Amino acid sequence: MAISMTHLFVTIMLLAAHTALAETNMLQDLCVADLKGSKVNGYPCKDPSQVTPEDFYYMGLANAADTSNTSMGSAVTAGNVEKIPGLNMMGTSMSRIDYAPGGLNPPHLHPRASEAIFVLEGSLFVGFLTTSGKLISKHVNKGDVFAFPRALLHFQQNPNKTPASVIAAFDSQNPGTQSVGPSLFGANPPIPDDLLAKAFSLGTNDIQNIKGKFQPKK
């Protein structure tokens, strides 16, 4: 009897999991994001009668962004659901990243998406780290594609004397970005100095100096 009840419980759980997975799929043609609506896990659907072609259109990736006022010499222009409401529930988005000569898109991760970049102009040194600490890296040139697995630390560097640009594709309408430096040393409220000092084998004065680089300028 115990075995039968166990089998019944497992069967019910598997059916529930299958149903939950099925319900994450679109049950209608489209769900244009109502950006003014209450955000729970994504955006609610806009009234279909109010949908326009502009909900699916965006020209923000056409031109290079200004990298001169960035500390890292790179600029990201997002084409996610907040810029293209029609992407809501589609599980896809794009960005453009521009790099000044010597520019860097510093180590970061996307918690909700894998990423693939297509090099528009120039050449880059790119790579990601596995959870075992192995660096997978390569020099890529115009026309090349390189993929970064979901939620793994990765970077792109332009080691050249000419600008570079890529188009990045994500398998999420809102992939999210978490950069290592700002997350650890610019957290609000701040992570205790002694904790970071121990984690990085540094003195607390060193940690305070590093934090100073990530604090908002007054």
Side-chain angles (χ1 to χ4, degrees), residues 27-165:
L27 301 179
Q28 55 203 49
D29 291 340
L30 49 85
C31 177
V32 173
D34 178 0
L35 300 180
K36 297 180 180 178
S38 299
K39 187 176 181 181
V40 181
N41 186 25
Y43 290 99
C45 301
K46 184 178 181 179
D47 183 344
S49 66
Q50 302 299 315
V51 171
T52 71
E54 302 306 311
D55 291 321
F56 300 87
Y57 175 79
Y58 182 58
M59 59 182 298
L61 308 186
N63 300 312
D66 182 10
T67 59
S68 62
N69 294 323
T70 64
S71 61
M72 294 292 170
S74 67
V76 179
T77 304
N80 56 26
V81 67
E82 295 176 352
K83 299 294 180 63
I84 312 171
L87 291 178
N88 198 36
M89 298 295 293
M90 288 190 182
T92 187
S93 61
M94 300 177 73
S95 290
R96 175 178 177 138
I97 311 170
D98 295 291
Y99 314 82
L104 172 69
N105 190 11
H108 63 282
L109 60 86
H110 304 292
R112 297 183 288 274
S114 300
E115 175 184 3
I117 60 170
F118 173 80
V119 183
L120 289 173
E121 295 291 342
S123 59
L124 298 166
F125 175 61
V126 304
F128 63 87
L129 283 167
T130 69
T131 54
S132 64
K134 182 176 182 179
L135 174 63
I136 308 293
S137 62
K138 189 172 181 63
H139 290 273
V140 293
N141 302 301
K142 182 177 180 178
D144 291 346
V145 172
F146 194 87
F148 305 99
R150 179 191 299 261
L152 291 187
L153 285 172
H154 59 283
F155 61 85
Q156 302 105 32
Q157 180 190 37
N158 179 12
N160 307 296
K161 296 181 178 180
T162 55
S165 300

Side-chain angles (χ1 to χ4, degrees), residues 19-26 89:
T19 302
L21 181 62
E23 287 299 315
T24 61
N25 295 325
M26 287 270 282
M89 298 295 293

